[in-house]
Amino acid sequence: YRMSDSGLGQIVDQGGAVKLGAIALACLALVENPRSLDFAVEQAGLRRTLDHLWQPNGEFRTFLVPASRTDNVNFYPGEALLLWAVLHARSPDASLLERILTSVGYYRDWHRANRNPAFVPWHTQACFLVWKETRSSDLRDWIFEMNDWLLEIQQWDSQKEFPDTMGRFYAPDRPFGPPHASSTGVYLEGLVDAWRLARECGDSARQERYRT
């Protein structure tokens, strides 16, 4: 961790890059730490950087350094929105909620044009936290849309020869990357929230699909 002269908190990797996702997840870890107050200065610096990377149209710049990089959109903005949703759930803030909803709208359009499973769990968790407060039908429908699509790439019968891999999320004929345990874990975190949403909405059919 380091602080720039302008007060922007940074998580710097070995190559010198400063990534939106690293900033968001580090801040989330500090927020959820039992000794959170001991890290108030670091949290404030990291939050300033997220504010700096956010754009009025709802988009996040995914790298502070190098500023020319714009990749990892399927990961970093969802992680940033999850942090903001956690912060808003702990201390409601109308301006923060407005920014979250602006970003949800921006990235909903982006995802529909660039479907990728990695996008789904982070945005699901963020949207579910906000839905619990707002009971927004738009957020409900978006969570269901994302997770209904995600289930389409879950492998079952094709993996019968390797039963320990049944249920993994992998599409070998599509450019989503290889399956691995860490991605499965994140998909499950999102699906748990999608299941909770279906239960609260009385959607028993979706609840059972997400449970499975």
Side-chain angles (χ1 to χ4, degrees), residues 5-79:
D5 292 340
S6 57
L8 299 180
Q10 304 174 38
I11 303 297
V12 187
D13 71 13
Q14 290 183 330
V18 180
K19 307 170 184 177
L20 171 68
I23 292 165
L25 292 181
C27 191
L28 181 60
L30 295 179
V31 168
E32 295 186 337
N33 190 306
R35 295 172 49 214
S36 180
L37 293 178
D38 293 346
F39 302 99
V41 171
E42 291 81 3
Q43 288 181 53
L46 294 170
R47 290 185 63 178
R48 281 193 295 272
T49 307
L50 257 71
D51 292 343
H52 176 75
L53 293 173
W54 188 80
Q55 309 299 303
N57 68 346
E59 182 180 12
F60 283 96
R61 289 167 47 205
T62 51
F63 282 79
L64 182 67
V65 179
S68 59
R69 283 190 65 176
T70 59
D71 53 305
N72 282 298
V73 179
N74 284 306
F75 297 90
Y76 299 168
E79 293 162 353

Side-chain angles (χ1 to χ4, degrees), residues 138-149:
D138 285 344
L139 291 175
R140 176 201 64 203
D141 293 347
W142 178 225
I143 291 170
F144 286 157
E145 179 183 331
M146 286 189 287
N147 287 276
D148 288 351
W149 177 84

Side-chain angles (χ1 to χ4, degrees), residues 7 20 46 71 82 84 87 94 119 146 153 157 166 171-172 178 189 193-194 205:
L20 171 68
L46 294 170
D71 53 305
L82 178 56
W84 275 3
L87 291 170
F119 178 98
M146 286 189 287
I153 67 162
D157 290 346
M166 291 177 70
E189 287 183 325
D193 281 348

Side-chain angles (χ1 to χ4, degrees), residues 2-212:
R2 73 182 182 201
M3 184 89 75
S4 73
D5 292 340
S6 57
L8 299 180
Q10 304 174 38
I11 303 297
V12 187
D13 71 13
Q14 290 183 330
V18 180
K19 307 170 184 177
L20 171 68
I23 292 165
L25 292 181
C27 191
L28 181 60
L30 295 179
V31 168
E32 295 186 337
N33 190 306
R35 295 172 49 214
S36 180
L37 293 178
D38 293 346
F39 302 99
V41 171
E42 291 81 3
Q43 288 181 53
L46 294 170
R47 290 185 63 178
R48 281 193 295 272
T49 307
L50 257 71
D51 292 343
H52 176 75
L53 293 173
W54 188 80
Q55 309 299 303
N57 68 346
E59 182 180 12
F60 283 96
R61 289 167 47 205
T62 51
F63 282 79
L64 182 67
V65 179
S68 59
R69 283 190 65 176
T70 59
D71 53 305
N72 282 298
V73 179
N74 284 306
F75 297 90
Y76 299 168
E79 293 162 353
L81 285 178
L82 178 56
L83 168 65
W84 275 3
V86 168
L87 291 170
H88 179 70
R90 292 180 175 219
S91 181
D93 179 331
S95 63
L96 181 58
L97 177 60
E98 182 178 359
R99 279 185 285 167
I100 291 170
L101 295 177
T102 300
S103 290
V104 168
Y106 176 88
Y107 285 106
R108 178 169 49 202
D109 292 342
W110 189 90
H111 179 63
R112 284 172 174 165
N114 305 274
R115 295 281 190 185
N116 189 294
F119 178 98
V120 173
W122 303 107
H123 287 265
T124 295
Q125 292 175 79
C127 288
F128 180 64
L129 281 173
V130 178
W131 177 86
K132 287 200 294 184
E133 176 201 347
T134 65
R135 292 303 199 263
S136 162
S137 59
D138 285 344
L139 291 175
R140 176 201 64 203
D141 293 347
W142 178 225
I143 291 170
F144 286 157
E145 179 183 331
M146 286 189 287
N147 287 276
D148 288 351
W149 177 84
L150 178 63
L151 293 187
E152 294 176 8
I153 67 162
Q154 194 175 27
Q155 292 185 310
W156 290 108
D157 290 346
S158 64
Q159 294 303 110
K160 282 184 176 179
E161 294 185 25
F162 307 96
D164 59 312
T165 67
M166 291 177 70
R168 72 181 180 179
F169 298 86
Y170 181 44
D173 57 340
R174 303 177 74 175
F176 297 150
H180 50 83
S182 61
S183 62
T184 298
V186 178
Y187 296 143
L188 291 177
E189 287 183 325
L191 278 165
V192 166
D193 281 348
W195 178 86
R196 288 172 172 157
L197 175 63
R199 181 181 61 178
E200 293 198 36
C201 293
D203 191 333
S204 58
R206 277 197 171 91
Q207 186 180 341
E208 179 58 16
R209 288 205 304 274
Y210 298 156
R211 185 201 64 80
T212 301

